[in-house]
Amino acid sequence: MTPYRLDPAEEEQTYTFNDIFNPSAKLLDSCPRSYIWATREEVSTLFHNSRNELAAEVLQRLLTAQEVAYGTEDLEVLRTTYQLAIIRQKQCQHKKAEGLLEPLTATSTRVLGSAHPSTLNTADALVNTYRALKKFNEAENLLKKNVQLLIAQDGPDSALVTRNNLGLLYVQQKRPAEARKCFETALADSESVRGPNDIDVLSVIGNLAYVYRDLGLWKEAEPLYNKALATTVKTYGSEHPETIATMASFAASYAEMGRWHDARVLAEKVLAARQRQLGANHIETLKSQYNLGNIYLGQGSFPEALASGHKLMLALALRLPYGNGASTTPTLTGLKKWECFRWQHFYAVCLINNERYDEAGALHAKLIGNFESEEDNEYYSHCFSQSLYDLGRIRKHQSRFREAESYFRQALAVTEATEDVDSKAYYIRAEALISLLRSQNRCSEVRKLLQISVSRAETTHGSNSLATATWLLKLGGFFSDHGRWSQARDLFLRALHIREKILGTEHVEVSIACAEVGRCLEHLGDDEQAAEYWSRALKSGGIDMGLDKYVMTVWMKRSENLLIRLQRKADGNLLVNKGESELAGTNASEGDEDEDDDVTLIEEIEYPGKVQGGSAFILLPKTLLITSDVASMISRYRLMKL
């Protein structure tokens, strides 16, 4: 199709404000090309200023006139339809977007061809709509079709962006193994062709790092984060918007990993850069303030978080403008409603953590009233549930337990009815209700809710998922708290096997599961098996992955007591203090040489308060394969404490 060219008379045509926003019937009937272009340009300005309702109204009127004047297969009609669909997406009107994009994709394929860039862009927009509507099969099939099409036409490298989108779809579906394969394949096919500095390659690197983190592969994830950030800085400079955006993304990833210090350092740099470049009151600066405030919350820096929340509330109250406040720029009234709610909710959470419960309760009550008046929107439902949950937290702190229970149950019901089946929000609400019921010794209700949560995790995530393992551990903890050690052991073992399969043998979550199994076996009287599991718990994963030092100390004490108990049970083994070492050496030299094969001498290790007179060493049978591991762990942990 050849592009339409204006004649000289039409090129000189100009249009007034009324022509665009209140056109005459005559103008709409003729619908000249210059008018179409002028209207779309004005709509683009409205769109970038977040005035989407007016933009959609103007564009819908234009599209109707275009279809009458030129038919549905005209190139300009296709462009207008695409622009309107994107606005519908921004309005979260995904059904309307789907109704525009599905026929547009078919028409574009027929008119322009399936491999035309406009057709592929339309298909990508349709995929985003399918994702928003949770039509994952349709989205996956369309992306796979486009990947094959691009590879057949231009080679593997041409499918980089589409493969990246397919990987993101797998991430959204909680299919990290498939997402990993997709990102790794895309990177292998394109990095050598485009080089590491290509913007799309950097995007894939960042997404692959995220998937590694999601799989618990911390050692693989961190080098990718560092590589992507270093490459972005080298390519664009430290003050370039792309660099700042990359830093913000990685700060969020570090926060999800619980690496609050690293997240804080990056987020503070992002905020400082945006304050310098855009001003303190620019919308992007305020969004960075919000992100940093959430990191303060995660880090436990509650006063700093409250200060961030106060700045956001002040901006909302004063309706601060973008940038320098020029009349051509929009104000915060253009901020999306859900973002306004999110900022207010964040401030309410800060008030709770700073023990200003009455203020937080009043703000949450106001927010709940606003949520109930909103349309049936997924994000508003999430916020509604979150505010109910936070009101439950407030009432619990105020010792108003009956009200707290009511709010927790309402939050759980809203979450079950409106959110994704794999939403983490459900488990957070359930855990809060379980904690409250447990504090009131309502054991049968606690057990029932734990069993429901295990069943839900198995149904939504799979029997061998990490979510299932987490809830198996919680249910096992309930049984162990009530002395039902056999049932607890079986649940802990199942959780351990799941975590080992997914995370490997040296992950901190595996160490925790091993410790729980060891504790149960001790109570069941199986000390040798318990010692094996305690040894596994104390392996390098525990220390290297940052397990809390207090927890490590407790584990060390338990393991030490268990080893001493085993040593006392073993025939011919002695616990001696340092002052008796000569006598021990004499006895060893006088005995049969083969006796040396029955014991293993662990290095001298200090046990303050356990052995009078100084240091001690333990003789253990070689049949206990744990001795060298435990000795090494105790020695390393002693150095770590120093």
Side-chain angles (χ1 to χ4, degrees):
M1 177 179 293
T2 57
Y4 180 85
R5 302 185 67 86
L6 296 177
D7 59 44
E10 199 172 351
E11 286 180 353
E12 295 175 0
Q13 180 69 45
T14 59
Y15 298 94
T16 66
F17 180 88
N18 282 336
D19 289 335
I20 301 297
F21 294 99
N22 190 24
S24 65
K26 181 179 178 181
L27 181 58
L28 288 176
D29 288 341
S30 61
C31 201
R33 302 281 180 171
S34 58
Y35 173 70
I36 294 171
W37 295 351
T39 303
R40 283 211 305 255
E41 185 176 352
E42 190 64 36
V43 165
S44 295
T45 302
L46 293 172
F47 175 76
H48 289 300
N49 290 338
S50 299
R51 301 179 66 183
N52 294 324
E53 292 182 9
L54 180 57
E57 178 185 339
V58 171
L59 210 56
Q60 183 64 67
R61 183 169 56 233
L62 175 66
L63 179 60
T64 302
Q66 280 185 259
E67 288 178 335
V68 172
Y70 300 105
T72 58
E73 295 189 357
D74 180 76
L75 183 58
E76 295 302 331
V77 171
L78 300 183
R79 289 171 177 166
T80 302
T81 305
Y82 178 79
Q83 190 176 14
L84 179 58
I86 297 301
I87 293 173
R88 294 303 187 196
Q89 286 181 337
K90 291 295 183 182
Q91 292 178 297
C92 296
Q93 297 180 10
H94 299 295
K95 279 290 185 183
K96 290 184 178 180
E98 181 185 24
L100 291 165
L101 288 168
E102 283 187 334
L104 177 60
T105 302
T107 303
S108 185
T109 301
R110 184 172 60 255
V111 174
L112 301 173
S114 58
H116 191 278
S118 295
T119 304
L120 294 173
N121 287 338
T122 303
D124 285 340
L126 180 56
V127 165
N128 291 334
T129 297
Y130 283 150
R131 288 172 59 184
L133 293 171
K134 307 298 184 294
K135 293 186 173 182
F136 297 125
N137 289 335
E138 291 88 337
E140 183 177 356
N141 291 336
L142 186 54
L143 283 169
K144 285 181 175 179
K145 175 184 174 182
N146 287 344
V147 167
Q148 294 173 354
L149 183 68
L150 287 166
I151 291 175
Q153 178 173 292
D154 297 314
D157 173 59
S158 64
L160 175 64
V161 173
T162 308
R163 274 179 170 163
N164 188 43
N165 291 336
L166 180 59
L168 291 173
L169 176 66
Y170 290 143
V171 169
Q172 185 180 1
Q173 292 179 277
K174 311 297 181 186
R175 296 160 64 181
E178 291 164 278
R180 174 184 179 179
K181 182 179 179 181
C182 194
F183 291 136
E184 287 178 340
T185 302
L187 199 59
D189 287 340
S190 297
E191 187 173 18
S192 59
V193 177
R194 302 190 183 198
N197 299 339
D198 181 79
I199 185 67
D200 293 325
V201 170
L202 287 173
S203 176
V204 174
I205 290 174
N207 291 333
L208 180 58
Y210 176 86
V211 170
Y212 282 153
R213 181 208 63 77
D214 201 36
L215 289 168
L217 303 173
W218 315 97
K219 294 178 182 178
E220 289 83 353
E222 187 162 7
L224 289 180
Y225 281 129
N226 294 333
K227 176 182 178 182
L229 185 56
T231 304
T232 306
V233 171
K234 181 180 178 181
T235 305
Y236 299 104
S238 59
E239 292 290 308
H240 191 278
E242 190 64 39
T243 302
I244 303 304
T246 302
M247 291 173 64
S249 175
F250 292 165
S253 296
Y254 281 136
E256 290 180 4
M257 293 165 62
R259 294 178 54 174
W260 299 110
H261 175 72
D262 294 329
R264 178 173 180 166
V265 169
L266 283 177
E268 286 176 342
K269 288 181 179 179
V270 169
L271 178 60
R274 285 182 171 159
Q275 285 174 335
R276 286 193 304 272
Q277 296 173 3
L278 306 173
N281 296 327
H282 192 281
I283 187 67
E284 293 301 325
T285 305
L286 292 170
K287 287 180 180 180
S288 298
Q289 185 76 66
Y290 167 79
N291 293 334
L292 178 58
N294 273 295
I295 291 170
Y296 286 147
L297 276 181
Q299 200 176 28
S301 301
F302 299 137
E304 290 91 338
L306 184 62
S308 293
H310 183 72
K311 291 178 182 178
L312 296 173
M313 293 297 289
L314 183 63
L316 290 174
L318 298 179
R319 297 286 191 257
L320 290 172
Y322 283 77
N324 59 11
S327 59
T328 56
T329 58
T331 66
L332 282 186
T333 53
L335 191 69
K336 295 182 180 67
K337 284 185 179 181
W338 64 265
E339 289 182 303
C340 295
F341 284 133
R342 185 169 68 172
W343 288 8
Q344 293 176 77
H345 178 264
F346 166 72
Y347 185 58
V349 173
C350 292
L351 290 171
I352 293 174
N353 285 294
N354 283 275
E355 300 182 0
R356 293 166 59 174
Y357 300 121
D358 291 340
E359 296 171 76
L363 181 52
H364 271 306
K366 177 183 175 182
L367 289 173
I368 285 175
N370 289 333
F371 296 146
E372 290 175 333
S373 65
E374 287 296 328
E375 296 178 1
D376 183 19
N377 180 281
E378 181 181 335
Y379 184 79
Y380 294 125
S381 299
H382 171 76
C383 289
F384 184 38
S385 169
Q386 184 68 30
S387 286
L388 289 168
Y389 164 73
D390 283 334
L391 277 171
R393 292 174 59 202
I394 293 169
R395 297 298 180 252
K396 184 179 179 182
H397 280 293
Q398 294 172 329
S399 299
R400 294 159 64 175
F401 299 120
R402 184 174 297 179
E403 293 177 62
E405 180 181 347
S406 174
Y407 281 123
F408 286 148
R409 289 190 183 278
Q410 288 180 64
L412 197 59
V414 171
T415 303
E416 283 187 292
T418 61
E419 301 223 5
D420 295 346
V421 292
D422 59 355
S423 171
K424 293 180 181 178
Y426 171 85
Y427 302 113
I428 293 172
R429 316 292 189 256
E431 182 63 32
L433 181 56
I434 288 168
S435 176
L436 180 64
L437 296 174
R438 182 179 282 134
S439 69
Q440 298 174 333
N441 293 320
R442 294 160 66 177
C443 300
S444 60
E445 293 174 78
V446 170
R447 182 183 63 185
K448 181 179 179 181
L449 192 51
L450 283 168
Q451 290 171 334
I452 290 172
S453 297
V454 170
S455 177
R456 181 187 176 94
E458 289 177 328
T459 302
T460 58
H461 298 275
S463 299
N464 295 317
S465 66
L466 289 175
T468 299
T470 297
W471 282 98
L472 287 170
L473 282 168
K474 292 181 185 295
L475 182 57
F478 170 83
F479 285 128
S480 66
D481 288 344
H482 291 80
R484 298 167 67 173
W485 299 106
S486 295
Q487 290 169 283
R489 176 202 58 199
D490 294 342
L491 291 166
F492 289 145
L493 280 170
R494 185 180 162 198
L496 172 61
H497 294 153
I498 293 172
R499 286 185 168 180
E500 279 188 319
K501 183 177 180 180
I502 297 175
L503 302 175
T505 58
E506 295 190 352
H507 194 280
V508 62
E509 299 294 341
V510 174
S511 297
I512 291 170
C514 285
E516 295 291 0
V517 175
R519 189 165 63 94
C520 289
L521 291 170
E522 276 190 78
H523 285 281
L524 290 169
D526 192 347
D527 287 347
E528 290 194 11
Q529 283 292 312
E532 178 184 344
Y533 281 98
W534 278 113
S535 172
R536 291 170 62 184
L538 289 168
K539 281 186 177 180
S540 59
I543 290 177
D544 296 342
M545 294 305 298
L547 193 65
D548 185 86
K549 290 186 178 181
Y550 172 77
V551 174
M552 285 293 296
T553 302
V554 173
W555 287 8
M556 293 295 304
K557 297 282 186 185
R558 292 192 69 124
S559 182
E560 174 194 336
N561 292 336
L562 178 60
L563 292 176
I564 292 174
R565 195 159 66 241
L566 281 169
Q567 182 267 335
R568 287 175 177 170
K569 290 179 181 178
D571 293 333
N573 295 327
L574 300 172
L575 175 64
V576 298
N577 68 25
K578 196 170 184 179
E580 297 172 336
S581 59
E582 290 185 6
L583 178 59
T586 302
N587 291 339
S589 63
E590 291 177 354
D592 189 349
E593 293 180 359
D594 291 338
E595 290 181 1
D596 289 341
D597 293 334
D598 295 331
V599 297
T600 298
L601 179 63
I602 303 179
E603 61 185 287
E604 291 187 355
I605 303 169
E606 293 183 3
Y607 292 93
K610 286 293 181 182
V611 180
Q612 298 297 324
S615 301
F617 59 85
I618 304 174
L619 299 179
L620 290 172
K622 273 190 175 178
T623 53
L624 292 178
L625 301 178
I626 60 160
T627 54
S628 60
D629 286 339
V630 173
S632 173
M633 180 59 60
I634 293 173
S635 176
R636 291 173 57 209
Y637 190 65
R638 182 184 65 188
L639 294 175
M640 182 178 71
K641 289 167 67 179
L642 293 176

